[in-house]
Amino acid sequence: MTSPSSLLIRHARIILPNGESMVGDVLTRDRIIVEVAPQISTAEPTIEIDASGLTLLPGVIDPQVHFREPGLEYKEDLFTASCACAKGGVTSFLEMPNTRPLTTNQQTLDDKLQRASNKCLVNYGFFIGATSENLPDILSVYPTPGIKIFMGSMHGQLLVDTEAALEVIFSQGSRLIAVHAENQARINQRRQEFAGITDPAIHSQIQDNQAALEATQLALKLSKKYQRRLHILHMSTAEEAELLRQDKPSWVTCEVTPQHLLMDISAYAKIGTFAQMNPPLRSRHDNEVLWQALRDGIIDFIATDHAPHTLEEKAQPYPKSPSGMPGVETSLALMLTAAMDGKCTVAQVVNWMSTAVAKAYGIANKGAIEPGYDADLVLVDLNNYRPVLRQELFSKCGWSPFEGWELTGWAHTTIVGGQIVYKDGKLFTDVRGRALQFQDSDQK
């Protein structure tokens, strides 16, 4: 769909920046929201949408995904992943550096940005990966939301698992550091203890709560020592939530995935290795404590950790089966279904999936429905429930751990920069997103 000079959405239930809602109209022009009002009288817009019965939210910003390009495009690529984003109401994403080659310098970052400009239906940003050797690169590359450190669940150059190596990174520069917090030494030891067990449920014991807690404690210690901006990725345990409840400096943020809120270790018995991810699924008690920490503002926002593998790869017996699951197509519907179930409000979902993410990463003019903000929007249907069906997924991997779940809040229309990119089951694949800019990122 070619770029409209103006788009008018009428009769939507609009979630406003203050968390309240009103039924009204939103007018966009040249990628920007220009008016939000109970009724807008204007010259004929290029495109008009009757959104009666639908709810209008800011587009989702998914701040942790693995889209596999370059090097692993047989699992997913930037085009297929951005199609999945559009269907899921995700209008911007932040992607991780464990591709082939690794994203560890300006050249590999520029390559991804170029690929995305040609292929992505939605907006994009790319983390830079820390190794033990690339300190000058991680401090100078631009633009990036931050530095990704794998403290565990990784091998090769991207594994940075000693306190000495971590301290070098924390001690220099001011750019945000995002950590995958698992203690690799503990994982290695427990892998030996449980060797030979092929039940995938053992995964949650090998990479146990203690492994996550110890790494988070170390990252927090270094962050406090240097007052370094820290973000804890995909927090999964009650112990980590309680640690941060007691001790969370103002410059520290953290996230949780829908699967760590809504799935638990009982999933292994139902879906086997499709439930395998890093950090692993935990107990129902962990789910409940994470939910409470999210509602209380201890956990700041939601990310999917979308990490697809093929059906053939996932069919391998544990531990040969790879860890990771797709998520961008289902995250918004999962969280809105939880809101309809009374676990939270729709306004809280907007904050966790849009507003708070934009604030944490310094992404200007995104995450709210307000004049002057970017016209990244999603109309959702909260009146009907539909199941997650494998054959309807746009992700190249072609499966979901939530298959069969009855969800509401599915995206009806997704708008990126004032352009309709998905509507009522149809993609408009000529739309292209833009590279995100990060105000608070160290750009020296």
Side-chain angles (χ1 to χ4, degrees), residues 282-353:
R282 309 293 186 190
S283 70
R284 287 187 184 172
H285 170 70
D286 291 294
N287 297 155
E288 289 163 12
V289 174
L290 291 168
W291 263 115
Q292 194 59 52
L294 184 61
R295 287 189 290 258
D296 291 344
I298 307 302
I299 298 174
D300 298 273
F301 49 81
I302 300 286
T304 64
D305 192 21
H306 177 97
H309 300 283
T310 66
L311 286 161
E312 293 75 18
E313 287 171 326
K314 277 292 194 178
Q316 296 176 96
Y318 185 85
K320 289 182 180 176
S321 48
S323 293
M325 52 179 69
V328 293
E329 282 175 85
T330 50
S331 59
L332 181 58
L334 285 163
M335 294 306 296
L336 290 172
T337 302
M340 294 300 100
D341 290 344
K343 290 185 180 292
C344 57
T345 66
V346 173
Q348 283 175 310
V349 173
V350 167
N351 182 53
W352 298 332
M353 300 192 78

Side-chain angles (χ1 to χ4, degrees), residues 151-153 179-188 190 203-221 230 232-244 255 260 277-282 286 290:
M151 299 173 72
S153 293
V179 295
H180 179 127
E182 290 188 279
N183 181 342
Q184 189 62 41
R186 181 176 175 86
I187 293 170
N188 291 344
R190 292 176 69 79
H203 188 63
S204 291
Q205 291 187 53
I206 292 170
Q207 297 181 210
D208 66 348
N209 288 39
Q210 189 65 27
L213 177 63
E214 287 174 4
T216 294
Q217 285 171 325
L218 175 56
L220 193 58
K221 173 181 145 184
L230 171 67
I232 300 158
L233 299 160
H234 47 41
M235 223 168 61
S236 63
T237 71
E239 290 87 344
E240 291 168 287
E242 289 306 316
L243 170 67
L244 286 165
E255 70 188 30
H260 286 119
M277 65 171 297
N278 300 328
L281 299 178
R282 309 293 186 190
D286 291 294
L290 291 168

Side-chain angles (χ1 to χ4, degrees), residues 31-54:
R31 308 186 68 90
I32 305 296
I33 297 167
V34 293
E35 191 176 355
V36 181
Q39 188 170 358
I40 295 174
S41 302
T42 182
E44 287 295 307
T46 312
I47 295 178
E48 186 170 319
I49 297 172
D50 181 358
S52 301
L54 300 174

Side-chain angles (χ1 to χ4, degrees), residues 52-72:
S52 301
L54 300 174
T55 301
L56 185 66
L57 317 176
V60 171
I61 305 170
D62 190 334
Q64 195 202 165
V65 300
H66 302 263
F67 283 170
R68 307 304 191 198
E69 184 177 346
L72 299 164

Side-chain angles (χ1 to χ4, degrees), residues 66-69 72-88 93 115 118-122 306 308 326 328-329 392-398 427 429 432:
H66 302 263
F67 283 170
R68 307 304 191 198
E69 184 177 346
L72 299 164
E73 289 92 338
Y74 72 93
K75 300 176 193 273
E76 187 81 279
D77 61 57
L78 288 166
F79 176 74
T80 59
S82 66
C83 290
C85 284
K87 183 179 178 229
F93 66 80
R115 289 166 181 269
N118 292 328
K119 293 186 172 189
C120 280
L121 280 61
V122 303
H306 177 97
V328 293
E329 282 175 85
E392 292 182 358
L393 298 171
F394 289 153
S395 173
K396 191 183 280 190
C397 72
L427 286 167
T429 57
R432 289 294 174 268

Side-chain angles (χ1 to χ4, degrees), residues 82-221:
S82 66
C83 290
C85 284
K87 183 179 178 229
V90 176
T91 54
S92 300
F93 66 80
L94 304 181
E95 206 258 355
M96 289 298 161
N98 54 324
T99 44
R100 294 179 185 170
L102 306 172
T103 317
T104 53
N105 56 36
Q106 191 69 53
Q107 181 183 354
T108 48
L109 175 62
D110 287 345
D111 177 63
K112 273 191 177 174
L113 288 165
Q114 181 61 44
R115 289 166 181 269
S117 71
N118 292 328
K119 293 186 172 189
C120 280
L121 280 61
V122 303
N123 306 308
Y124 46 88
F126 299 100
F127 276 87
I128 192 77
T131 72
S132 297
E133 289 87 38
N134 73 335
L135 188 63
D137 293 300
I138 63 177
L139 295 178
S140 65
V141 299
Y142 172 83
T144 186
I147 300 162
K148 167 70 179 286
I149 301 180
F150 288 90
M151 299 173 72
S153 293
M154 180 51 63
H155 52 270
Q157 282 182 286
L158 284 184
L159 179 63
V160 183
D161 61 345
T162 68
E163 184 166 350
L166 289 162
E167 184 146 14
V168 170
I169 299 167
F170 272 86
S171 68
Q172 296 187 50
S174 60
R175 177 166 276 171
L176 177 147
I177 293 172
V179 295
H180 179 127
E182 290 188 279
N183 181 342
Q184 189 62 41
R186 181 176 175 86
I187 293 170
N188 291 344
Q189 172 200 333
R190 292 176 69 79
R191 217 171 252 158
Q192 303 226 317
E193 286 176 34
F194 296 104
I197 299 174
T198 57
D199 179 353
I202 202 68
H203 188 63
S204 291
Q205 291 187 53
I206 292 170
Q207 297 181 210
D208 66 348
N209 288 39
Q210 189 65 27
L213 177 63
E214 287 174 4
T216 294
Q217 285 171 325
L218 175 56
L220 193 58
K221 173 181 145 184

